[in-house]
Amino acid sequence: MSSSEIIENTALLQKYQSLDQRGKIVAEYIWIDAEGGIRSKGRTLSKKPSSVDDLPEWNFDGSSTGQAPGHDSDVYLRPVSFYADPFRRGDNIVVLAECWNNDGTPNKFNHRHECAKLMKAHKDQEVWFGLEQEYTLLDKYDNVYAWPKGGFPAPQGPYYCGVGTGKVYARDMIEAHYRACIYAGINISGINAEVMPSQWEFQVGPCNGIDMGDQLWVARYLLQRVAEEFGIKISFHPKPLKGDWNGAGCHTNVSTSAMRVPGGMKYIEAAVEKLAKRHLEHIALYGSDNEQRLTGRHETASMTSFSSGVANRGASIRIPRSVAKEGYGYFEDRRPASNIDPYLVTGIMVETICGAIPDADMTKEYKRESD
């Protein structure tokens, strides 16, 4: 199969993209499926929405996404946020939607609903998050992109934040994703090449409360859509390649309003103590196959024991040296894997450091998915 059969002909598409839409708007609805993947489909709207309340509820065949049985397959899409569409441009939009069953209950793979309850209950604490999304590029045969066929590149060392041929790969695709996120309104704060060649990272945040999960999911959608055009696959697996190669994580930076002002270190230390007591509950929600990554090597902590330290990238929780010096700021949870559901991670984080609420339990929410 030639590369032309994989890579989209976007240059040819442009002459159609410039056609007048005669006042119509195209809304691309996106949602999370049973496997933690992203699905999407488009619909035409008669006018540009001014708020999420203007967007219609929709539905899809849940039996084809693992979210419903065939005899009762309709799953409903309830819009929760929308963004400028960097592919269709103009007034066209990308709509993030929650999945609901026809009996009025959230679909069991809809973890946003419970997370939003916790964020609302603790909104006075102004919890900010910043997520560092690592990922790996693969070719059409599921080999690591641009690696020697049947072999390996030179050992890790020159690739992290590397510059130059042979040190970084697919920078054009990464730059395209960066610009797409900015256009869409995602609060993307940076990008960098990672330790393993063809592994990259982008950061989203700071974002307040539920907006963190929303923006990361949309940024992932944009990444996969951009990658389509370059004929590249995206892997969020935490250990895509066995051996002496770094895995991929989604380091989670956290602060409350009390942590961000002078004297905030005591609140950071209190949060770390609370996290230590719920280590295993957090690990359960921090991504599948994470045991392959959290080995105590390659800048990771042990999966079975909790640790924390200043500037220690081998700890469960890292407190940046600048924060320790100034006495306030934020902390970084280095345990989450690259394939996390950000609603589960940010939800249990708020539940642990800010307090549980009667009608939301993130550990039970995760177990509900397996029932």
Coordinates of all heavy atoms in Angstrom, one line a residue, residues 76-160:
Y76 N -27.3 9.0 24.0 CA -27.5 10.4 23.7 C -26.3 11.2 24.0 O -25.5 11.0 24.9 CB -28.7 10.9 24.5 CG -30.0 10.3 24.1 CD1 -30.4 9.0 24.6 CD2 -30.7 10.9 23.1 CE1 -31.6 8.4 24.1 CE2 -31.9 10.3 22.6 CZ -32.3 9.1 23.1 OH -33.5 8.5 22.7
L77 N -26.1 12.2 23.1 CA -24.9 13.1 23.3 C -25.4 14.5 23.8 O -26.2 15.1 23.1 CB -24.3 13.3 21.9 CG -23.5 12.1 21.3 CD1 -23.1 12.3 19.9 CD2 -22.3 11.7 22.1
R78 N -25.0 14.8 24.9 CA -25.3 16.1 25.5 C -24.1 17.1 25.5 O -23.1 16.8 26.2 CB -25.8 16.0 27.0 CG -27.1 15.2 27.1 CD -27.6 15.1 28.5 NE -28.8 14.4 28.7 CZ -29.4 14.1 29.8 NH1 -28.9 14.6 31.0 NH2 -30.5 13.4 29.9
P79 N -24.2 18.1 24.7 CA -23.0 19.0 24.6 C -22.7 19.7 25.9 O -23.5 20.0 26.7 CB -23.5 20.1 23.6 CG -24.5 19.3 22.8 CD -25.3 18.4 23.7
V80 N -21.4 19.8 26.1 CA -20.9 20.4 27.4 C -19.9 21.6 27.1 O -19.8 22.4 27.9 CB -20.2 19.4 28.3 CG1 -21.2 18.4 28.8 CG2 -19.0 18.7 27.6
S81 N -19.3 21.6 25.9 CA -18.4 22.7 25.6 C -18.2 22.7 24.0 O -18.4 21.6 23.4 CB -17.1 22.6 26.3 OG -16.4 21.4 26.0
F82 N -17.8 23.8 23.5 CA -17.5 23.8 22.0 C -16.3 24.7 21.8 O -16.0 25.6 22.5 CB -18.7 24.1 21.2 CG -19.2 25.5 21.4 CD1 -18.8 26.6 20.5 CD2 -20.1 25.8 22.4 CE1 -19.3 27.8 20.6 CE2 -20.6 27.1 22.5 CZ -20.2 28.1 21.6
Y83 N -15.6 24.4 20.6 CA -14.4 25.1 20.3 C -14.3 25.4 18.8 O -15.0 24.7 18.0 CB -13.2 24.1 20.6 CG -13.2 23.7 22.1 CD1 -14.1 22.6 22.4 CD2 -12.5 24.3 23.1 CE1 -14.1 22.1 23.8 CE2 -12.5 23.9 24.4 CZ -13.4 22.8 24.7 OH -13.4 22.4 26.0
A84 N -13.5 26.4 18.4 CA -13.4 26.7 17.0 C -12.7 25.5 16.3 O -11.8 24.8 16.8 CB -12.5 27.9 16.8
D85 N -13.2 25.1 15.1 CA -12.8 24.0 14.4 C -11.6 24.4 13.5 O -11.8 25.2 12.5 CB -13.9 23.4 13.5 CG -13.5 22.1 12.8 OD1 -12.3 21.9 12.6 OD2 -14.5 21.4 12.5
P86 N -10.4 23.9 13.8 CA -9.2 24.3 13.0 C -9.1 23.7 11.6 O -8.3 24.0 10.8 CB -8.0 23.9 13.8 CG -8.5 22.8 14.6 CD -10.0 23.0 14.9
F87 N -10.0 22.7 11.4 CA -9.9 21.9 10.1 C -10.9 22.6 9.1 O -10.6 22.8 7.9 CB -10.2 20.5 10.3 CG -9.3 19.8 11.3 CD1 -9.8 19.5 12.6 CD2 -8.0 19.6 11.1 CE1 -9.0 19.0 13.6 CE2 -7.1 19.1 12.0 CZ -7.6 18.8 13.3
R88 N -12.1 22.8 9.5 CA -13.1 23.4 8.6 C -13.1 25.0 8.7 O -13.5 25.7 7.8 CB -14.5 23.0 9.0 CG -14.8 21.5 8.8 CD -16.2 21.1 9.0 NE -16.5 19.7 8.7 CZ -16.7 18.8 9.6 NH1 -16.7 19.0 10.9 NH2 -17.0 17.5 9.2
R89 N -12.6 25.5 9.8 CA -12.4 26.9 10.1 C -13.7 27.7 9.9 O -14.8 27.1 10.1 CB -11.3 27.5 9.2 CG -9.9 26.9 9.6 CD -8.8 27.4 8.8 NE -8.8 26.9 7.4 CZ -7.9 27.2 6.5 NH1 -6.9 28.0 6.8 NH2 -8.0 26.6 5.3
G90 N -13.6 29.0 9.7 CA -14.8 29.8 9.7 C -15.5 29.8 11.0 O -14.9 29.8 12.1
D91 N -16.9 29.7 11.0 CA -17.7 29.6 12.2 C -17.9 28.2 12.6 O -18.7 27.9 13.5 CB -19.0 30.3 12.0 CG -18.8 31.8 11.9 OD1 -17.9 32.4 12.5 OD2 -19.7 32.5 11.3
N92 N -17.3 27.2 12.0 CA -17.6 25.8 12.3 C -16.9 25.4 13.6 O -16.0 26.1 14.0 CB -17.0 24.9 11.2 CG -17.6 25.2 9.8 OD1 -18.8 25.2 9.7 ND2 -16.8 25.6 8.8
I93 N -17.5 24.4 14.3 CA -17.1 24.2 15.6 C -16.9 22.7 15.9 O -17.4 21.8 15.2 CB -18.1 24.7 16.7 CG1 -19.5 24.1 16.3 CG2 -18.2 26.2 16.7 CD1 -20.6 24.5 17.4
V94 N -16.1 22.4 17.0 CA -16.0 21.1 17.5 C -16.7 21.1 18.8 O -16.5 21.9 19.7 CB -14.5 20.7 17.8 CG1 -14.4 19.4 18.5 CG2 -13.7 20.7 16.5
V95 N -17.6 20.1 19.0 CA -18.5 20.0 20.2 C -18.1 18.8 21.0 O -18.2 17.7 20.6 CB -20.0 19.9 19.8 CG1 -20.9 19.8 21.0 CG2 -20.4 21.1 18.9
L96 N -17.7 19.0 22.3 CA -17.5 17.9 23.2 C -18.8 17.6 23.9 O -19.5 18.5 24.4 CB -16.4 18.3 24.2 CG -16.1 17.3 25.3 CD1 -15.5 16.0 24.7 CD2 -15.2 17.9 26.4
A97 N -19.1 16.3 23.9 CA -20.4 15.9 24.5 C -20.3 14.8 25.5 O -19.4 13.9 25.3 CB -21.4 15.4 23.3
E98 N -21.1 14.8 26.5 CA -21.2 13.6 27.4 C -22.2 12.6 26.9 O -23.1 12.9 26.1 CB -21.8 14.1 28.8 CG -20.8 14.8 29.7 CD -21.4 15.0 31.1 OE1 -22.5 14.4 31.4 OE2 -20.8 15.7 31.9
C99 N -22.0 11.3 27.3 CA -22.8 10.2 26.8 C -23.8 9.9 27.9 O -23.5 9.6 29.1 CB -22.0 9.0 26.4 SG -20.9 9.3 25.1
W100 N -25.1 9.8 27.5 CA -26.2 9.5 28.4 C -27.1 8.4 27.9 O -27.3 8.3 26.7 CB -27.1 10.7 28.7 CG -26.4 11.7 29.6 CD1 -25.3 12.5 29.2 CD2 -26.6 12.0 30.9 NE1 -24.9 13.3 30.3 CE2 -25.7 13.0 31.4 CE3 -27.6 11.5 31.9 CZ2 -25.7 13.5 32.7 CZ3 -27.6 12.0 33.1 CH2 -26.6 13.0 33.5
N101 N -27.6 7.5 28.8 CA -28.5 6.5 28.4 C -29.9 7.0 28.2 O -30.2 8.1 28.7 CB -28.5 5.4 29.5 CG -27.1 4.8 29.7 OD1 -26.4 4.6 28.8 ND2 -26.8 4.6 31.0
N102 N -30.8 6.2 27.6 CA -32.1 6.8 27.3 C -33.0 6.8 28.5 O -34.1 7.3 28.5 CB -32.8 6.0 26.2 CG -32.9 4.5 26.5 OD1 -32.8 4.1 27.6 ND2 -33.2 3.7 25.4
D103 N -32.5 6.2 29.7 CA -33.3 6.3 30.9 C -33.0 7.5 31.8 O -33.4 7.6 32.9 CB -33.2 5.0 31.7 CG -31.7 4.7 32.2 OD1 -30.8 5.5 31.8 OD2 -31.5 3.7 32.8
G104 N -32.1 8.3 31.2 CA -31.7 9.6 31.9 C -30.6 9.4 32.8 O -30.2 10.3 33.6
T105 N -29.9 8.3 32.8 CA -28.7 8.1 33.6 C -27.4 8.3 32.7 O -27.4 8.0 31.5 CB -28.6 6.7 34.2 OG1 -28.7 5.7 33.2 CG2 -29.8 6.5 35.2
P106 N -26.3 8.7 33.4 CA -25.1 8.8 32.6 C -24.6 7.4 32.1 O -24.7 6.5 32.9 CB -24.1 9.5 33.5 CG -24.6 9.2 34.9 CD -26.1 9.2 34.8
N107 N -24.1 7.3 30.9 CA -23.5 6.1 30.4 C -22.4 5.7 31.3 O -21.7 6.6 31.9 CB -23.0 6.3 29.0 CG -22.6 5.0 28.3 OD1 -21.4 4.7 28.3 ND2 -23.5 4.3 27.8
K108 N -22.1 4.4 31.5 CA -21.1 4.0 32.5 C -19.7 4.4 32.1 O -18.8 4.3 32.9 CB -21.2 2.5 32.7 CG -20.8 1.6 31.5 CD -20.9 0.1 32.0 CE -20.5 -0.8 30.9 NZ -20.6 -2.3 31.3
F109 N -19.5 4.8 30.9 CA -18.2 5.2 30.5 C -18.1 6.8 30.5 O -17.1 7.4 30.1 CB -17.9 4.7 29.1 CG -17.9 3.2 28.9 CD1 -19.0 2.6 28.4 CD2 -16.8 2.5 29.4 CE1 -19.0 1.2 28.3 CE2 -16.8 1.1 29.4 CZ -17.9 0.5 28.8
N110 N -19.1 7.4 31.0 CA -19.2 8.9 31.2 C -18.7 9.2 32.6 O -19.4 9.2 33.5 CB -20.6 9.4 31.0 CG -20.8 10.9 31.3 OD1 -19.8 11.6 31.6 ND2 -22.0 11.4 31.2
H111 N -17.4 9.5 32.7 CA -16.8 9.8 34.0 C -16.8 11.3 34.3 O -16.5 11.7 35.4 CB -15.4 9.3 34.1 CG -15.3 7.8 33.9 ND1 -16.0 6.9 34.6 CD2 -14.5 7.0 33.0 CE1 -15.7 5.7 34.2 NE2 -14.8 5.7 33.3
R112 N -17.1 12.1 33.3 CA -17.2 13.5 33.4 C -18.3 13.9 34.4 O -18.1 14.9 35.2 CB -17.4 14.2 32.1 CG -17.4 15.7 32.2 CD -17.8 16.4 30.8 NE -17.5 17.8 30.8 CZ -18.4 18.7 31.4 NH1 -19.5 18.3 31.9 NH2 -18.1 20.0 31.3
H113 N -19.4 13.2 34.4 CA -20.6 13.6 35.2 C -20.2 13.7 36.7 O -20.5 14.6 37.4 CB -21.7 12.7 34.9 CG -22.9 13.0 35.7 ND1 -23.7 14.1 35.5 CD2 -23.6 12.3 36.7 CE1 -24.7 14.1 36.4 NE2 -24.7 13.0 37.1
E114 N -19.6 12.6 37.2 CA -19.2 12.5 38.6 C -18.1 13.5 38.9 O -18.1 14.2 40.0 CB -18.7 11.1 39.0 CG -19.8 10.1 38.9 CD -20.9 10.3 40.0 OE1 -20.6 10.4 41.2 OE2 -22.1 10.5 39.5
C115 N -17.1 13.7 38.0 CA -16.1 14.6 38.2 C -16.6 16.0 38.3 O -16.2 16.8 39.2 CB -15.1 14.5 37.0 SG -13.7 15.7 37.1
A116 N -17.6 16.4 37.5 CA -18.1 17.7 37.5 C -18.8 18.0 38.9 O -18.7 19.2 39.4 CB -19.1 17.9 36.4
K117 N -19.4 17.0 39.5 CA -20.0 17.2 40.9 C -18.9 17.7 41.9 O -19.1 18.6 42.7 CB -20.7 16.0 41.3 CG -21.9 15.5 40.6 CD -22.4 14.2 41.2 CE -23.6 13.6 40.4 NZ -24.0 12.3 41.0
L118 N -17.8 17.0 41.8 CA -16.7 17.3 42.8 C -16.1 18.7 42.5 O -15.9 19.5 43.4 CB -15.6 16.3 42.7 CG -15.9 14.9 43.4 CD1 -15.1 13.8 42.8 CD2 -15.6 15.1 44.9
M119 N -16.0 19.0 41.2 CA -15.4 20.3 40.9 C -16.4 21.5 41.3 O -15.9 22.5 41.9 CB -15.2 20.4 39.4 CG -14.2 19.4 38.9 SD -12.6 19.5 39.7 CE -11.7 18.2 38.8
K120 N -17.7 21.2 41.2 CA -18.7 22.2 41.6 C -18.7 22.4 43.1 O -18.7 23.5 43.6 CB -20.0 21.8 41.1 CG -21.1 22.9 41.4 CD -22.5 22.5 40.8 CE -23.5 23.5 41.1 NZ -24.8 23.1 40.5
A121 N -18.6 21.3 43.8 CA -18.7 21.3 45.3 C -17.5 22.0 45.9 O -17.6 22.7 46.9 CB -18.7 19.9 45.8
H122 N -16.3 22.0 45.2 CA -15.1 22.6 45.7 C -14.6 23.8 44.9 O -13.4 24.2 44.9 CB -14.0 21.6 45.8 CG -14.3 20.5 46.7 ND1 -14.3 20.6 48.1 CD2 -14.5 19.1 46.5 CE1 -14.6 19.5 48.7 NE2 -14.7 18.6 47.8
K123 N -15.6 24.4 44.2 CA -15.2 25.5 43.3 C -14.6 26.7 44.0 O -13.7 27.4 43.5 CB -16.4 26.0 42.5 CG -17.5 26.6 43.2 CD -18.6 27.0 42.3 CE -19.8 27.7 43.1 NZ -20.9 28.1 42.2
D124 N -14.9 26.8 45.3 CA -14.3 28.0 46.1 C -12.8 27.8 46.4 O -12.1 28.8 46.7 CB -15.1 28.1 47.5 CG -14.9 26.8 48.3 OD1 -15.0 25.7 47.7 OD2 -14.8 26.9 49.5
Q125 N -12.3 26.6 46.2 CA -10.9 26.3 46.4 C -10.1 26.6 45.1 O -8.9 26.6 45.1 CB -10.6 24.9 46.9 CG -11.3 24.6 48.2 CD -10.6 23.5 49.0 OE1 -9.4 23.4 49.0 NE2 -11.4 22.7 49.6
E126 N -10.8 26.9 44.0 CA -10.1 27.2 42.7 C -9.0 26.3 42.4 O -7.8 26.7 42.3 CB -9.6 28.7 42.8 CG -10.7 29.7 43.0 CD -10.2 31.1 43.1 OE1 -9.0 31.3 42.8 OE2 -11.0 32.0 43.4
V127 N -9.3 25.0 42.2 CA -8.3 24.0 41.9 C -7.8 24.2 40.4 O -8.6 24.1 39.5 CB -8.8 22.6 42.2 CG1 -7.7 21.6 42.0 CG2 -9.4 22.5 43.6
W128 N -6.6 24.4 40.3 CA -6.0 24.5 39.0 C -5.2 23.3 38.6 O -4.5 22.7 39.5 CB -5.0 25.7 38.9 CG -5.6 27.1 38.9 CD1 -6.9 27.4 39.0 CD2 -4.9 28.3 38.8 NE1 -7.1 28.7 39.0 CE2 -5.9 29.3 38.9 CE3 -3.6 28.6 38.7 CZ2 -5.5 30.7 38.8 CZ3 -3.2 30.0 38.6 CH2 -4.2 31.0 38.6
F129 N -5.3 22.9 37.4 CA -4.5 21.7 36.9 C -3.7 22.1 35.7 O -4.1 23.0 34.9 CB -5.5 20.6 36.5 CG -6.3 20.0 37.6 CD1 -7.6 20.4 37.8 CD2 -5.7 19.0 38.4 CE1 -8.3 19.9 38.9 CE2 -6.5 18.5 39.5 CZ -7.8 18.9 39.7
G130 N -2.6 21.4 35.5 CA -1.9 21.4 34.3 C -1.4 20.0 34.0 O -0.8 19.3 34.8
L131 N -1.8 19.5 32.8 CA -1.5 18.1 32.4 C -0.4 18.1 31.3 O -0.5 18.8 30.3 CB -2.8 17.4 31.9 CG -3.9 17.2 33.0 CD1 -5.0 16.3 32.4 CD2 -3.3 16.6 34.3
E132 N 0.6 17.2 31.5 CA 1.6 17.0 30.6 C 1.4 15.7 29.8 O 1.7 14.6 30.3 CB 3.0 17.0 31.3 CG 3.2 18.2 32.2 CD 4.5 18.0 33.1 OE1 5.3 17.2 32.7 OE2 4.6 18.7 34.1
Q133 N 0.8 15.8 28.6 CA 0.4 14.7 27.8 C 1.6 14.2 27.0 O 2.0 14.8 26.0 CB -0.8 15.0 27.0 CG -1.2 13.9 26.0 CD -1.8 12.7 26.8 OE1 -2.9 12.8 27.3 NE2 -1.1 11.6 26.8
E134 N 2.1 13.0 27.3 CA 3.1 12.4 26.5 C 2.5 11.4 25.6 O 1.4 10.8 25.9 CB 4.2 11.7 27.4 CG 5.0 12.6 28.2 CD 6.0 12.0 29.1 OE1 5.9 10.7 29.4 OE2 7.0 12.6 29.5
Y135 N 3.1 11.1 24.4 CA 2.6 10.2 23.4 C 3.7 9.8 22.5 O 4.7 10.4 22.4 CB 1.4 10.8 22.6 CG 1.8 12.1 21.9 CD1 2.1 12.1 20.5 CD2 1.8 13.3 22.5 CE1 2.5 13.2 19.9 CE2 2.1 14.5 21.8 CZ 2.5 14.4 20.5 OH 2.8 15.6 19.8
T136 N 3.4 8.7 21.8 CA 4.4 8.1 20.9 C 3.9 8.0 19.5 O 2.7 7.7 19.3 CB 4.8 6.7 21.3 OG1 5.2 6.8 22.7 CG2 6.0 6.2 20.5
L137 N 4.7 8.4 18.5 CA 4.3 8.3 17.1 C 4.6 6.9 16.5 O 5.7 6.4 16.7 CB 5.1 9.4 16.3 CG 5.0 10.8 16.8 CD1 5.9 11.7 15.9 CD2 3.6 11.3 16.9
L138 N 3.7 6.4 15.8 CA 3.9 5.1 15.1 C 3.6 5.2 13.6 O 2.9 6.1 13.2 CB 2.9 4.0 15.7 CG 2.9 3.8 17.2 CD1 1.8 2.8 17.6 CD2 4.3 3.4 17.7
D139 N 4.2 4.3 12.9 CA 3.9 4.3 11.4 C 2.7 3.4 11.1 O 2.1 2.9 12.1 CB 5.2 3.9 10.6 CG 5.6 2.4 10.9 OD1 4.8 1.6 11.4 OD2 6.8 2.1 10.5
K140 N 2.4 3.2 9.9 CA 1.2 2.5 9.5 C 1.2 1.0 9.9 O 0.2 0.3 10.0 CB 0.8 2.7 8.1 CG 1.9 2.1 7.1 CD 1.5 2.4 5.7 CE 2.6 1.9 4.7 NZ 2.2 2.1 3.3
Y141 N 2.5 0.5 10.2 CA 2.6 -0.9 10.6 C 2.8 -1.0 12.1 O 3.2 -2.1 12.6 CB 3.9 -1.4 9.9 CG 3.8 -1.4 8.4 CD1 4.6 -0.5 7.6 CD2 2.9 -2.1 7.7 CE1 4.6 -0.5 6.2 CE2 2.8 -2.1 6.3 CZ 3.6 -1.2 5.6 OH 3.6 -1.2 4.2
D142 N 2.5 0.1 12.8 CA 2.6 0.1 14.3 C 4.1 0.0 14.8 O 4.3 -0.4 16.0 CB 1.8 -1.0 14.9 CG 0.3 -0.8 14.7 OD1 -0.1 0.4 14.7 OD2 -0.5 -1.7 14.6
N143 N 5.0 0.3 14.0 CA 6.4 0.5 14.4 C 6.6 1.9 14.8 O 6.0 2.8 14.4 CB 7.4 0.1 13.3 CG 7.2 -1.3 12.8 OD1 7.1 -2.2 13.6 ND2 7.1 -1.5 11.5
V144 N 7.6 2.1 15.8 CA 7.9 3.5 16.2 C 8.3 4.3 15.0 O 9.2 3.9 14.2 CB 8.9 3.5 17.3 CG1 9.2 4.9 17.7 CG2 8.5 2.7 18.5
Y145 N 7.7 5.4 14.8 CA 7.9 6.2 13.6 C 9.3 6.6 13.4 O 10.0 7.1 14.3 CB 7.0 7.5 13.7 CG 7.0 8.4 12.5 CD1 6.3 8.1 11.4 CD2 7.8 9.5 12.5 CE1 6.3 8.9 10.3 CE2 7.8 10.3 11.4 CZ 7.1 10.0 10.2 OH 7.1 10.8 9.1
A146 N 9.8 6.4 12.2 CA 11.2 6.8 11.7 C 12.3 6.0 12.4 O 13.5 6.4 12.2 CB 11.4 8.3 11.9
W147 N 12.0 5.0 13.1 CA 13.1 4.2 13.6 C 13.6 3.3 12.5 O 12.9 2.9 11.6 CB 12.6 3.3 14.8 CG 12.5 4.1 16.1 CD1 12.3 5.4 16.3 CD2 12.7 3.5 17.4 NE1 12.3 5.7 17.6 CE2 12.5 4.6 18.3 CE3 12.9 2.2 17.9 CZ2 12.6 4.4 19.7 CZ3 13.0 2.0 19.3 CH2 12.9 3.1 20.2
P148 N 14.9 2.8 12.6 CA 15.4 1.9 11.6 C 14.6 0.6 11.5 O 14.2 0.1 12.6 CB 16.8 1.6 12.1 CG 17.2 2.7 13.0 CD 15.9 3.1 13.7
K149 N 14.3 0.2 10.3 CA 13.4 -1.0 10.2 C 14.2 -2.2 10.7 O 15.3 -2.5 10.2 CB 13.0 -1.2 8.7 CG 12.2 -0.1 8.2 CD 11.4 -0.5 6.9 CE 10.6 0.7 6.4 NZ 9.7 1.3 7.4
G150 N 13.6 -2.9 11.6 CA 14.2 -4.1 12.2 C 15.3 -3.8 13.2 O 16.1 -4.7 13.7
G151 N 15.5 -2.5 13.6 CA 16.6 -2.1 14.5 C 16.2 -1.0 15.4 O 15.0 -0.7 15.6
F152 N 17.1 -0.4 16.0 CA 16.9 0.6 17.0 C 17.8 1.8 16.7 O 18.9 1.7 16.2 CB 17.2 0.1 18.4 CG 16.4 -1.1 18.8 CD1 16.8 -2.4 18.6 CD2 15.1 -0.9 19.4 CE1 16.0 -3.5 18.9 CE2 14.3 -2.0 19.8 CZ 14.8 -3.2 19.5
P153 N 17.4 3.0 17.2 CA 18.2 4.2 17.1 C 19.3 4.1 18.2 O 19.3 3.2 19.0 CB 17.3 5.4 17.3 CG 16.2 4.8 18.1 CD 16.0 3.3 17.7
A154 N 20.2 5.1 18.2 CA 21.2 5.2 19.3 C 20.5 5.4 20.6 O 19.3 5.8 20.7 CB 22.1 6.4 19.0
P155 N 21.1 5.0 21.7 CA 20.5 5.0 23.0 C 20.0 6.4 23.4 O 20.4 7.4 22.8 CB 21.6 4.6 24.0 CG 22.5 3.8 23.1 CD 22.5 4.4 21.7
Q156 N 19.1 6.5 24.3 CA 18.5 7.7 24.8 C 19.6 8.7 25.3 O 20.6 8.2 25.8 CB 17.5 7.5 25.9 CG 16.3 6.7 25.4 CD 15.3 6.5 26.5 OE1 14.1 6.3 26.2 NE2 15.6 6.5 27.8
G157 N 19.4 9.9 25.1 CA 20.3 11.0 25.5 C 20.2 12.2 24.7 O 19.9 13.3 25.3
P158 N 20.3 12.1 23.4 CA 20.3 13.4 22.5 C 18.8 13.8 22.1 O 18.7 14.8 21.5 CB 21.1 13.0 21.3 CG 20.8 11.5 21.2 CD 20.7 11.0 22.6
Y159 N 17.8 13.0 22.5 CA 16.5 13.2 21.9 C 15.6 14.2 22.7 O 14.8 14.9 22.1 CB 15.8 11.9 21.7 CG 16.6 10.9 21.0 CD1 17.0 9.7 21.7 CD2 17.0 11.0 19.7 CE1 17.8 8.8 21.1 CE2 17.7 10.0 19.1 CZ 18.2 8.9 19.8 OH 19.0 8.0 19.2
Y160 N 15.8 14.2 24.0 CA 14.9 15.1 24.8 C 15.2 16.6 24.5 O 16.3 17.1 24.5 CB 15.2 14.9 26.3 CG 14.6 15.8 27.2 CD1 13.2 15.8 27.4 CD2 15.3 16.8 27.9 CE1 12.6 16.8 28.3 CE2 14.7 17.7 28.8 CZ 13.4 17.7 28.9 OH 12.8 18.6 29.8

